[in-house]
Amino acid sequence: MRLVIARCSVDYAGRLTAHLPSAPRLILVKADGSVSIHADDRAYKPLNWMSPPCALKEGAGDEAGVWTVVNKAGEKLIITMEEILHDSSHELGVDPGLIKDGVEAHLQELLADRIETLGDGYTLVRREYMTAIGPVDILCRDADGATVAVEIKRRGEIDGVEQLTRYLDLLNRDPHLAPVRGVFAAQEIKPQARVLATDRGIHCQILDYNALRGIEDDKLRLF
């Protein structure tokens, strides 16, 4: 990553045009080719940027001090340097990514302990209810005594909906359980997965990990 602090002006020319007048700013040039312009506010959000794939050309001669960033659509981000206050490069290496503690096994345990999260009157039958094709994360009953199969994911995608669909098909062949309906529960559910689940009559449930752990958020609330 290259960090440049400079007094500069910035012009964007593309589907829209934008101009940032001269001021001290931070310019980030990342290994993926992206270039972003930051002020000393707005948290993480840049004032302007060019996403990869794009190419950065630093001018020479009469164009010295002019950086031109061009993307594959031909849009340009032109940075005109007036004074460079800092210029350094740092090798960050491969990032391991964000490791969350809300793994599926823990989500399953928490939801089983707080099964009423799914609705008033819900009761747990058992966790890891075994079938011929694998275990259903949670089998429970709703307030009317109907059987509900719950598939839990940290991130809900189409594959998870397909997995729950197979479980439901098998469970509904058991006269002691049928009819069985499904709940697809996750911290985040992708739009495509939600559409597929809805089409198959499967309810989608967003899980709040902190709420399941009994941790209040820090947002102000009015009661």
Side-chain angles (χ1 to χ4, degrees):
M1 179 182 290
R2 184 177 178 186
L3 308 175
V4 178
I5 299 175
R7 179 174 292 277
C8 62
S9 59
V10 183
D11 292 278
Y12 181 85
R15 288 167 292 181
L16 300 173
T17 59
H19 174 72
L20 295 175
S22 175
R25 297 189 177 92
L26 168 66
I27 303 165
L28 297 182
V29 183
K30 294 187 177 182
D32 63 4
S34 64
V35 179
S36 56
I37 317 296
H38 297 261
D40 200 11
D41 62 2
R42 299 163 61 96
Y44 63 88
K45 189 174 182 180
L47 297 166
N48 216 326
W49 67 93
M50 189 70 80
S51 300
C54 58
L56 167 63
K57 178 181 178 182
E58 298 184 40
D62 293 339
E63 296 295 320
V66 178
W67 290 14
T68 303
V69 188
V70 184
N71 67 12
K72 63 180 182 180
E75 298 171 316
K76 295 182 179 180
L77 186 67
I78 301 169
I79 307 168
T80 303
M81 306 289 189
E82 298 173 13
E83 180 184 8
I84 294 180
L85 306 172
H86 175 86
D87 188 347
S88 64
S89 296
H90 308 270
E91 180 59 53
L92 302 185
V94 178
D95 190 89
L98 177 65
I99 300 175
K100 298 182 180 180
D101 58 349
V103 295
E104 290 169 15
H106 197 197
L107 284 170
Q108 181 194 117
E109 179 183 353
L110 290 168
L111 184 58
D113 287 341
R114 297 164 178 80
I115 199 67
E116 69 279 358
T117 300
L118 299 177
D120 293 338
Y122 272 68
T123 56
L124 178 69
V125 174
R126 67 166 297 166
R127 292 170 52 194
E128 299 288 336
Y129 185 88
M130 188 56 63
T131 74
I133 58 174
V136 176
D137 287 333
I138 289 179
L139 196 71
C140 57
R141 294 190 184 277
D142 63 19
D144 298 322
T147 309
V148 181
V150 185
E151 180 65 25
I152 299 171
K153 300 292 184 185
R154 189 172 64 177
R155 175 179 295 177
E157 302 190 30
I158 285 177
D159 286 349
V161 178
E162 295 285 7
Q163 182 180 0
L164 179 54
T165 300
R166 292 192 292 270
Y167 288 143
L168 290 172
D169 181 62
L170 195 63
L171 292 170
N172 273 299
R173 299 178 194 175
D174 185 338
H176 299 290
L177 297 175
V180 184
R181 61 184 181 86
V183 172
F184 189 51
Q187 289 178 284
E188 173 193 359
I189 298 177
K190 295 295 185 179
Q192 299 93 331
R194 185 179 292 275
V195 170
L196 181 61
T198 301
D199 182 67
R200 295 183 177 180
I202 295 171
H203 173 69
C204 291
Q205 177 84 29
I206 296 296
L207 299 178
D208 185 327
Y209 183 55
N210 285 337
L212 286 172
R213 293 193 296 166
I215 299 175
E216 295 290 338
D217 63 33
D218 58 0
K219 295 178 182 178
L220 294 176
R221 297 180 179 179
L222 296 177
F223 293 95

